[in-house]
Amino acid sequence: MGAVLFWPLAALLLALAGWSVLLANLRQDRAAIEGNALREATAFANSHAEYLSRTVESIDQVTLHVRYAWQQSQGKLHLDALNAQGLFPPSSYSYLAITDRDGRIVTSTLPELRGLEIGDRGYFRLQREADTDSVFIGEPVYGRGTGRQVLHVSRRLLDERGGFAGVVLVAVTLSYFTATYDPVVMGSLGFLGMSSNDGQERTMRVGHRVSAPGERFLMQAPANALLGGTGLLEGRRWFADGRARYVAWQAVYGYPLIAFAGLDREEVLAPYQRNADASMYYATLASLALLAFATIATVLSLRLAWRKQQVTVLQTTYRLATEAGTEGFYIAHPVRAADGGIADFEVMDCNRRGAEFFGSRREEFIGIRLSSCHPGEQGVRFLHLLTQAWHEGRKEAELPLASRRGDEPRWIALQALRAEDNLAVTLRDITDAKAHVAELEQRSNHDALTGLPNRHWVGLHVPQSIAAAAHSGATLAFLFIDLDGFKTVNDSMGHEAGDQVLRVAAKRLRLAVRPQDHVVRLGGDEFVVILEGIGSKEDAAQVAQRILQSFEERFHVAGATHAIGTSIGISLYPQDGGDVDTLLKHADVAMYSVKTTGKRNYRFYDQKFYDALMASLRQESELRHAIDHDQFVLHYQPRVDISTGVTSSMEALVRWAHPLRGLVEPSEFIPIAEDTGLILPLGELIIDKVCAQLAFWARSGQELVPVSVNVSPRQFSEANMATVIRSAIERNGLEPSLIEIELTESSMLTDTDELTETIAAIRGMGVKLLVDDFGTGYSSLSQLQRLDVDVLKVDRAFTAELGKTEQGKVFFTAIVTMAHALGMRVVAEGVESEAQLRILKSLRCDEIQGYFVSRPLPPTDTQPILPKWFLPSAL
């Protein structure tokens, strides 16, 4: 009856447990998704704050340049004329204007705004009444002359006596401040925006819609908004549409603004809700299936009870059926002791093979008590197993047994099944199978070449050592060992010599460690030494030192001697991991850190090095993805002729438009690209983008200046640069004279025919060649002359010394004299002051480039060529 009730009860308990786990997992999944949403919102807010800071800074730079030009022209500046030259951003998203002291627009990039009165605007009144010079960002309004939805960014103008003379302002469309909104990432109901520090909303974008002036989407600012923060905000208390959102906010560096970013809760949880609904559906189906299974099992249990009655009949049939087999079969009946317990078993029946197991005939063996068949401990264990089978109903085991004649014990597979008041026992000789398995285990657990345990042995036995150490509080050490110099021997002398090195290395490792330690060969030239029961990390260090010393003696292989050393990484249990895989991985990481710092030493696992290694791998993966999906944008920094003030060329500077971090400077990712070889596809991508941009500008009919592209030494040595450049030029239908190639001095160190041919091929297309960062490398005058370089760009480090030391001026004079003698032009990089400009002009430097001229400019509809008047002090 108990077996019949078991299945319904078991099914009920299993269903309850399953539903409990499911509901708990759903709660955990929701909490994880919400936590991730808050982290994403924080990343978006931080990125938006950086974007706003850069955007406002670039707009403010325009106001400063215009104000400077207004002062230089003594108030006679004409913005519409300058705009026609392409100096300012296109009017499709902003316009510039200058007012007099009464608020009347006197000049603008939109001529129709001239004479318009704006004296009643808040930003004008604030600048007129202000006693300090600062940029002011106004409230969103409809432009009085254009009807556009704009924000006004303004600075005050002062006359010669320091009095208020008017305002220079830039009107920027509201959508420009939320241009980074990505509906694919933030959804159709997420939002991006900004407000002033006092909580006044400036611009908000929800999905594809930007809030109009006078509308208020964020009904109130969070408390202590200047400190930044995150949270779930819901209801009409916070949003005009009453929806709930995961929101983050961040102060904008350098300006009285707060950046906001938010993800709609319903959109964030939509995948979770679908998964939850599906899980509930399948859980219901599983419950119904479990009910059906319990019903079937109950029916089968009833049938099993009926079949038990037939066991006695089947025993005789089974004995007769096994007479011709190799298994011994017995029917044994328990012999009770005085206390009612089982003292022994008496053989009631057996087959011929069963009697032969004990050296008897069947007729003699029936009626014998089994305790008399096995001597000593073996007999006790045999009876114990049979007693367990009686109480439990069934028992299977493997054990060694010897006959009464004193033969060598043989391995026996025992199977005992209780049938009413008797036991049906089957014995099978598995001695040969055991020996075969032992041989297979020996082969699978040991390395055939060195005889050492292998990786499979580690997976089988070391977890037991870890469990014992966890129980006793002991420490284990894993020494991951890699042979330094093995590959050279293996490649130059052949695999047979390599195998000899491995056998000798294994012998030296066994001699260097303690007898109780384990030396394992993982594969190739990698070994692991496992130290059990060490007292401290110093014990592991001593063993590592002995191993290093044991490899100081040279290896004698194939009639020659070879220096083979070891790099050893050490991880400790439990400090560095709680399982075999983790400890091996961390020891491998520690060994890798030795390889990167000189080899032939040992080092313990360092979490900081591991984190740095993982970060490097993540950065490489992100960069590879960025190249595959073209996440790069180019900015262009002008070069200006000192003598004329005319823009002579531009340098293309790449930026990574990271989806979370915003624009990433090249100093952060170019070294990674160089180390990993990704500089090759990245370089091709940049050259093609520059050619495509020049082709786009050329279609506008504008007269263009050349653009120079930086090419790394690795590109020049590993890629066919002439073919890459020619393909990009032909693919975009571009004049070759519009492209210039910048090489560093290190690219020219290898004086090879291949380098000469490549440079000749590039110059043969009509592409000019520039040497970048001149003065930091080791190029010779003869090499520069032979390679026929067009331009030398002097490194900014030497420009910075001008005006500080006489040696800096002397060095620069020498460079200019040398370059001019070789027919090259000289460009000074990193010019940041008018004083430097004047010195460079006196030294007959040809061109300058740097922040004093212009910061790198983003591409627009036309090439951002500077106006000639930009360097009036140099003329």
Side-chain angles (χ1 to χ4, degrees):
M1 192 63 183
V4 175
L5 295 177
F6 168 80
W7 295 109
L9 292 176
L12 177 62
L13 292 175
L14 185 58
L16 290 176
W19 278 99
S20 299
V21 171
L22 173 62
L23 295 177
N25 288 340
L26 290 177
R27 286 193 295 270
Q28 292 177 358
D29 290 346
R30 181 182 179 112
I33 291 173
E34 290 184 327
N36 187 55
L38 288 174
R39 288 189 293 272
E40 289 183 351
T42 300
F44 292 146
N46 291 340
S47 177
H48 189 47
E50 293 178 3
Y51 171 78
L52 292 176
S53 178
R54 292 192 302 270
T55 299
V56 175
E57 180 185 13
S58 63
I59 295 172
D60 190 30
Q61 287 293 320
V62 174
T63 64
L64 291 173
H65 283 309
V66 171
R67 185 171 70 179
Y68 175 79
W70 179 84
Q71 292 171 347
Q72 293 296 310
S73 66
Q74 297 182 350
K76 296 181 176 59
L77 186 66
H78 296 285
L79 294 178
D80 50 350
L82 297 180
N83 189 47
Q85 299 181 31
L87 177 63
F88 303 119
S91 60
S92 60
Y93 75 84
S94 67
Y95 59 86
L96 283 78
I98 295 177
T99 75
D100 59 17
R101 60 174 50 87
D102 297 321
R104 182 182 297 105
I105 294 178
V106 297
T107 180
S108 173
T109 55
L110 297 180
E112 62 268 27
L113 299 183
R114 185 168 183 174
L116 187 66
E117 295 284 346
I118 61 169
D120 59 335
R121 290 292 198 187
Y123 62 86
F124 180 87
R125 294 197 305 271
L126 184 143
Q127 293 288 12
R128 181 177 58 194
E129 298 167 2
D131 55 3
T132 59
D133 178 29
S134 62
V135 63
F136 177 70
I137 304 168
E139 298 180 355
V141 296
Y142 288 97
R144 188 161 290 171
T146 63
R148 299 175 183 170
Q149 301 176 9
V150 296
L151 285 179
H152 290 101
V153 181
S154 61
R155 278 189 179 271
R156 64 199 312 248
L157 299 174
L158 301 178
D159 55 25
E160 295 177 352
R161 295 185 301 276
F164 178 73
V167 169
V168 56
L169 63 94
V170 180
V172 186
T173 57
L174 298 182
S175 60
Y176 185 71
F177 292 95
T178 56
T180 59
Y181 185 94
D182 188 354
V184 175
V185 178
M186 302 185 70
S188 60
L189 293 172
F191 83 96
L192 204 64
M194 70 174 177
S195 71
S196 60
N197 283 356
D198 58 3
Q200 295 299 314
E201 188 170 299
R202 287 294 186 259
T203 177
M204 290 288 172
R205 176 173 181 166
V206 182
H208 295 285
R209 184 179 182 277
V210 179
S211 298
E215 288 186 345
R216 188 173 180 86
F217 171 71
L218 187 62
M219 305 309 294
Q220 62 175 334
N224 298 322
L226 289 175
L227 301 179
T230 59
L232 173 62
L233 308 182
E234 52 186 335
R236 293 193 175 275
R237 173 191 173 193
W238 294 100
F239 300 106
D241 58 6
R243 299 183 69 87
R245 290 178 173 85
Y246 302 101
V247 181
W249 51 93
Q250 175 67 41
V252 178
Y253 177 75
Y255 298 97
L257 298 171
I258 300 173
F260 287 88
L263 301 174
D264 185 80
R265 181 173 67 178
E266 187 173 332
E267 286 187 335
V268 169
L269 294 179
Y272 159 80
Q273 194 60 51
R274 290 193 296 269
N275 178 64
D277 293 341
S279 298
M280 297 290 284
Y281 172 77
Y282 288 115
T284 302
L285 291 181
S287 298
L288 295 175
L290 187 61
L291 176 62
F293 173 81
T295 302
I296 294 172
T298 302
V299 173
L300 293 177
S301 297
L302 290 172
R303 293 186 61 188
L304 181 61
W306 174 76
R307 289 180 61 87
K308 276 189 173 183
Q309 299 178 3
Q310 304 178 25
V311 171
T312 303
V313 176
L314 292 176
Q315 287 176 353
T316 303
T317 304
Y318 184 79
R319 177 180 59 81
L320 295 175
T322 58
E323 285 292 345
T326 59
E327 295 181 346
F329 176 69
Y330 314 84
I331 299 296
H333 186 76
V335 177
R336 300 287 179 176
D339 58 2
I342 297 177
D344 206 339
F345 284 90
E346 181 180 337
V347 177
M348 305 297 294
D349 194 4
C350 70
N351 63 1
R352 179 184 55 81
R353 178 59 179 158
E356 291 176 352
F357 259 104
F358 300 96
S360 299
R361 293 182 301 157
R362 177 175 177 272
E363 295 77 9
E364 298 172 345
F365 195 66
I366 293 176
I368 288 178
R369 294 194 175 186
L370 293 178
S371 60
S372 63
C373 298
H374 308 290
E377 291 294 328
Q378 294 181 9
V380 173
R381 184 184 177 193
F382 183 56
L383 290 179
H384 178 68
L385 290 173
L386 296 181
T387 303
Q388 283 185 311
W390 175 268
H391 292 296
E392 298 172 7
R394 183 184 183 89
K395 190 67 178 180
E396 294 182 4
E398 296 178 357
L399 71 160
L401 285 179
S403 68
R404 291 179 294 176
R405 296 178 299 184
D407 298 335
E408 282 291 324
R410 299 184 64 80
W411 278 94
I412 302 298
L414 176 147
Q415 186 180 65
L417 179 68
R418 179 176 175 179
E420 297 298 336
D421 292 334
N422 297 321
L423 277 182
V425 181
T426 302
L427 299 182
R428 180 165 50 91
D429 191 334
I430 59 171
T431 303
D432 294 339
K434 274 284 187 180
H436 181 63
V437 170
E439 182 181 356
L440 292 178
E441 287 182 352
Q442 173 67 19
R443 292 181 180 180
S444 65
N445 290 332
H446 287 75
D447 175 48
L449 178 65
T450 63
L452 295 176
N454 58 15
R455 186 183 292 271
H456 185 258
W457 179 89
V458 173
L460 288 178
H461 296 278
V462 177
Q464 302 172 14
S465 300
I466 292 177
H471 183 265
S472 63
T475 298
L476 298 180
F478 281 59
L479 279 64
F480 198 104
I481 301 166
D482 186 83
L483 301 185
D484 301 325
F486 170 77
K487 188 175 186 301
T488 302
V489 175
N490 198 54
D491 293 346
S492 62
M493 305 292 291
H495 294 303
E496 184 174 343
D499 290 346
Q500 186 177 350
V501 169
L502 292 175
R503 285 191 290 267
V504 175
K507 182 178 180 181
R508 292 189 184 184
L509 288 173
R510 284 195 298 264
L511 294 174
V513 302
R514 304 171 304 178
Q516 67 269 31
D517 298 331
H518 304 285
V519 179
V520 179
R521 183 189 175 204
L522 294 181
D525 61 339
E526 294 179 340
F527 297 83
V528 169
V529 172
I530 302 171
L531 309 179
E532 298 186 29
I534 62 173
S536 64
K537 65 186 298 183
E538 285 73 20
D539 295 339
Q542 290 178 5
V543 175
Q545 190 62 49
R546 289 202 302 271
I547 293 174
L548 292 172
Q549 292 172 356
S550 69
F551 279 78
E552 291 179 355
E553 180 183 350
R554 286 177 172 266
F555 282 60
H556 299 276
V557 178
T561 59
H562 302 272
I564 305 292
T566 58
S567 295
I568 307 173
I570 307 173
S571 64
L572 301 175
Y573 172 85
Q575 297 95 310
D576 300 328
D579 58 80
V580 174
D581 292 338
T582 302
L583 290 166
L584 282 176
K585 179 179 70 174
H586 288 173
D588 189 11
V589 169
M591 184 275 295
Y592 177 74
S593 71
V594 176
K595 289 281 191 182
T596 59
T597 55
K599 302 182 179 180
R600 305 203 178 196
N601 205 341
Y602 70 88
R603 181 171 294 178
F604 286 89
Y605 171 72
D606 184 355
Q607 183 66 35
K608 293 181 180 178
F609 178 85
Y610 177 75
D611 293 340
L613 179 62
M614 292 298 102
S616 176
L617 293 176
R618 286 194 298 270
Q619 288 174 338
E620 178 184 349
S621 176
E622 287 186 356
L623 183 58
R624 193 179 302 277
H625 176 82
I627 295 173
D628 292 340
H629 295 80
D630 189 8
Q631 294 179 352
F632 297 91
V633 296
L634 295 174
H635 287 190
Y636 299 87
Q637 188 172 32
R639 293 195 339 244
V640 173
D641 189 299
I642 289 183
S643 61
T644 65
V646 173
T647 301
S648 58
S649 180
M650 315 191 105
E651 180 179 359
L653 300 172
V654 66
R655 304 288 188 270
W656 180 1
H658 196 284
L660 297 180
R661 299 170 57 194
L663 288 182
V664 179
E665 294 296 320
S667 59
E668 293 190 36
F669 62 87
I670 290 298
I672 300 174
E674 289 278 5
D675 292 341
T676 60
L678 293 175
I679 193 67
L680 302 181
L682 177 59
E684 290 189 27
L685 176 65
I686 292 171
I687 291 174
D688 191 67
K689 288 175 73 70
V690 169
C691 291
Q693 182 66 62
L694 281 166
F696 172 78
W697 285 332
R699 288 194 290 272
S700 68
Q702 176 190 10
E703 185 176 352
L704 304 179
V705 299
V707 174
S708 63
V709 182
N710 290 280
V711 176
S712 76
R714 188 162 184 177
Q715 286 177 266
F716 230 79
S717 63
E718 298 183 21
N720 190 339
M721 287 308 303
T723 302
V724 171
I725 295 169
R726 181 182 294 107
S727 298
I729 291 174
E730 293 176 353
R731 186 164 49 251
N732 293 280
L734 196 67
E735 287 294 328
S737 60
L738 291 176
I739 288 292
E740 299 176 342
I741 297 299
E742 295 193 18
L743 301 176
T744 60
E745 284 188 89
S746 58
S747 301
M748 306 168 66
L749 289 179
T750 304
D751 189 5
T752 63
D753 294 338
E754 184 178 357
L755 173 67
T756 305
E757 292 174 2
T758 301
I759 290 179
I762 293 174
R763 289 184 54 79
M765 302 177 205
V767 176
K768 288 186 176 181
L769 188 66
L770 292 73
V771 176
D772 193 20
D773 298 334
F774 184 77
T776 61
Y778 304 94
S779 59
S780 65
L781 295 180
S782 61
Q783 194 173 21
L784 290 176
Q785 185 178 19
R786 182 177 60 80
L787 296 177
D788 197 14
V789 178
D790 298 289
V791 178
L792 289 185
K793 299 184 71 175
V794 183
D795 188 74
R796 65 182 63 247
F798 303 104
T799 304
E801 290 300 314
L802 294 177
K804 295 181 181 180
T805 64
E806 187 62 28
Q807 290 85 349
K809 189 174 181 180
V810 170
F811 183 83
F812 219 101
T813 301
I815 294 177
V816 172
T817 303
M818 174 201 70
H820 287 172
L822 295 176
M824 306 175 193
R825 291 178 64 82
V826 178
V827 179
E829 295 184 296
V831 177
E832 298 185 355
S833 68
E834 185 173 335
Q836 292 173 340
L837 172 62
R838 294 188 181 278
I839 295 173
L840 289 167
K841 186 174 182 181
S842 69
L843 298 178
R844 298 176 55 239
C845 181
D846 300 296
E847 301 176 23
I848 62 172
Q849 181 180 354
Y851 284 178
F852 181 74
V853 177
S854 172
R855 290 178 177 270
L857 303 172
T860 58
D861 290 342
T862 58
Q863 193 177 32
I865 300 175
L866 300 179
K868 181 177 179 180
W869 55 264
F870 189 83
L871 296 174
S873 60
L875 302 178

